[in-house]
Amino acid sequence: MTKDNTDKLALEKLNQLGKELMDQLDRKEAPSLKIPSRSRSNVEFDQEKEIIDITGKKSTRSFINASHVRKFMQTLLVAQASEEYIKNGRTVGKRELYYNLKHKLTGTNRNTWDDDDESSAVIDDLEAILDIPRSQLHISAKSRGSIYGDITLKQAGDEFSCKGLGKGGWAIPGNVEDVEIMDYNAERILFIENDAMQSRLIEEKAYKSLNALLVTGEGVPPRGVRRFVKKLSEETKLPVIVFVDGDPYGFYIHSVIKHGSMAIAHINDRYSIPRAKYIGMTMDDIDKYELHNVTEHLDKGAREKLKHNLSYEWFKYHPEWVDQMKKMQKKGVRIEQQALANKSLEFVADTYLPEKLENEEFLP
Amino acid sequence: MTHIPEPQQFKEFKEHSVAEFFKKNRQMLGYSGKIKSLTTIIHEYCTNAIDAAEEEGTLPELYVEIKEMGPEHYKVIVEDNGPGIPENYVGKAFGQMLAGTKFHRFVQQRGQQGIGAAGAVMFGQVTTGKPTKVITSHGNGRIFEANLSIDVKKNKAELKNKKKYSGEMKGTRLETELKNIIYQKGMYSPDEYIRRTALANPHIKITYVDPEGATTVIDRAINEIPKRPKEAKPHPSGMTVDDLLGYASISQSQKIKSFLQNDFTRISRSKTNKIQKKVSFDLNKRPSSMTWEEAEELIKAFEEANFMAPPTDVLIPIGEKRLEKAVKEQLEPEFHTVIERNPEIYRGGVPFIVEVALAYGGKSGSENGDDNKEIMRFANRVPLLFNKGSCAVTKGVKSIEWKRYGVDEKTPLTILVNFTSIHVPYIGAGKEAIANEDEVIKEMRLALMDAARKLGRYVKGKKKEYKRLQKKKTFEIYLPEVAKALSMITGKDEKKTAQLLEDIVNERFSDLNINGGKDD
């Protein structure tokens, strides 16, 4: 979809929302919003689509309910502001929106909101109500993460290659709705957890040897990166290979890339890439590459995270993941991507990844 | 000029030689303490004045003034609009102890001993050496004025400086100078006494001028004299030895037998015969010769005799509607409730009625007490200001778990209890507090709980209403923002949108629009 189209759609949806509320008022009804429930109990794993989704349950946010009215107002504030941003061709950050709309309520000491938790929650709600990602409402997430590789993109009238930017890649902005893919030369997208690992692979010119677009989200990938990779994978049909630490967090990051996150379950279909594959690190790598001396102790926090992982339906859905978790639990260790440097700095680029790619040694 | 007949009530005067009584029993009569003595005097004059007007069938109108004459030196002036006192009864009416029209009449009255006004005259005389000025007129254009003093040894009133002149007046005015007393505002003050008198007697108009010169006029809430209580002979079951001897001493019967049958209710001839069998002395002797021990024997015999309960129609309470009106007009409460209980009997034979009023908000409550509750005690409509701690009313009030009814220390609440009976079981002769008779306290509790339940519903409802009002305000805070945003998204008029939203809010809180607001 082009930028104009996404904007048009967003405006239509906003106007439709306003019209529905106005119609209720004209019928002398208290205006209310139907919000797909984002509570944990309303989140489920859709095995057919292989994404974390919300069930059909919707909650009502009514103007005439004393415990709703504040949020009702906040939702409308954001909706109205978003309409304005779209019309004026502006995109704001979450924090910016928070300040932009924060003001005293007439005749009181109360503010429209007191912290950005309130505004963030309302943005999520509005996404769910309108069923469009916030980036289309011209509210961008934090920008973090980058892409490096043989690909030419265009945004805001600028065309650029992601390999011609020195040693770094192109920093992926919070809002990628208007990014256009002009040209590329790659066989895969490598989604890397750690930006230091991305730097290593850039230095080893792995984009060339592996024929890969090197993307990192610097930890749990932010929405901009996820949305960007989603777009990229859809438009290029390239496989997405996830390269993360062999620990509960790494697997969690992979699950977010592949199936989506609970926090944005209402909108995961715009972000998740069910066909993404897991390349490493695995518990088996420890034996296979003799990495015993560079494992890390699985601390309390990691063990907790592991237990949580095992409780998720989408983890149970993959016996291979469960197997890895169990092994990790048993060994009491985890293995980081950068532990491969123990062999040599080049090892990851000239041995580890090529071997695995060659043998298609992936976990789902 | 035609002869004005002497009012009926003055034919019933009787004389008793107890002039020394006052000097010996000042404390007992309420003349202890400098603050209390002043209130007692106001009380004695006021009850006399009210009774006089009521008995004549006139709506009582009182003028009360306290003038400061010097340190601990005051002049009390009380004027009524009663029938006036015939010249030849003036001395007896105010100058002789136990000489009033009351003691020998078995009727629910404000005063009971007939010692009141004379006591006040005595007090003035003892403390200042000055007589009490009496000005009285039947309303026939002729006024009689004299200075009244009491010859203690002779137990006789002396009238000096008698004057007769013509003028417009109906009623009696007393002016007494007093020393060794203090006027002080507060819960024991004449001010408070008068305020409460007006509450329990909504048919009275009182004009009061306090020592600082401030005039308070309390107009009557009701233009109707309460029904006069019927005369009722005492019932034997309620008797104490003291009472019995008192009645015996003034009986006109020649024998105790006839004294019992004539002067009491429910004592039949056969009952008298049964009583004779139980006592060790002859009931044919003169009533006035009865000894304390013999009276004790009689009382004991009474207790075993199983008399029929006394008639209860002799009691006239304030009445629910009258009390309600008085409470409403004087306290201007936000909420009030009045409970009148059915007549009950204590000590096996004395009928009584308990009335309770609760007033919440407005001028209710007390600034004097340690909490915001004000307890007003009345016996036969007479305010009881002293000896609060021992009183059955206080016991009754304290026995209620007020918290259960949503009442806490901060609740501005006036609790009014009126005890109506032919025989009020006072603690001591000072008539300051009602004795803790079980049946009396029980009735008070029942009445108070009934009233408290109603109050509780209101207080809780009010809290609810307050919460709802707060809730409504919440919507009103967010409404303008919603209207603005919605109108901007839809391009509709902001004012119209706001109006539509306001309609929704008002509809939801329509109950508040009916009851809320102080403007109605």
Side-chain angles (χ1 to χ4, degrees), chain B residues 232-301:
Chain B
K233 293 172 183 175
H235 188 277
S237 301
M239 283 294 113
T240 62
V241 175
D242 228 11
D243 296 332
L244 189 60
L245 286 172
Y247 289 126
S249 71
I250 57 167
S251 174
Q252 290 176 328
S253 301
Q254 300 299 308
K255 299 170 178 179
I256 293 179
K257 244 182 194 168
S258 49
F259 160 62
L260 293 179
Q261 284 169 31
N262 297 336
D263 291 6
F264 289 86
T265 179
R266 305 298 198 219
I267 303 186
S268 62
R269 181 167 310 195
S270 72
K271 287 278 185 209
T272 317
N273 290 337
K274 276 181 192 161
I275 290 165
Q276 176 64 81
K277 280 174 197 160
K278 300 221 168 157
V279 297
S280 63
F281 60 96
D282 191 353
L283 292 181
N284 285 316
K285 64 188 282 189
R286 287 185 69 83
S288 55
S289 71
M290 187 161 48
T291 66
W292 182 273
E293 288 75 18
E294 287 166 346
E296 271 184 335
E297 278 189 54
L298 267 181
I299 297 286
K300 205 162 172 266

Side-chain angles (χ1 to χ4, degrees), chain A residues 14-15 18 22 26 28-30 63-66 70 73 76 80 83-84 103 105 108 110, chain B residues 471 474-475 477-479 481-482 485-486 488-490 492 497 500-501 503-505 508-509:
Chain A
L14 284 165
N15 287 331
M22 215 57 208
D26 285 336
K28 304 280 174 208
E29 284 170 20
F63 166 73
I64 203 69
N65 183 321
R70 181 176 173 83
M73 173 212 67
L76 283 182
Q80 192 274 321
E83 190 194 29
E84 228 172 80
H103 58 261
L105 296 162
T108 70
R110 272 188 265 184
Chain B
K471 219 174 174 182
T474 306
F475 291 111
I477 288 169
Y478 295 112
L479 191 146
E481 298 284 344
V482 171
L486 195 52
M488 283 175 85
I489 294 171
T490 57
K492 296 267 163 95
T497 311
L500 286 169
L501 286 166
D503 291 348
I504 301 272
V505 173
R508 167 60 64 94
F509 293 94

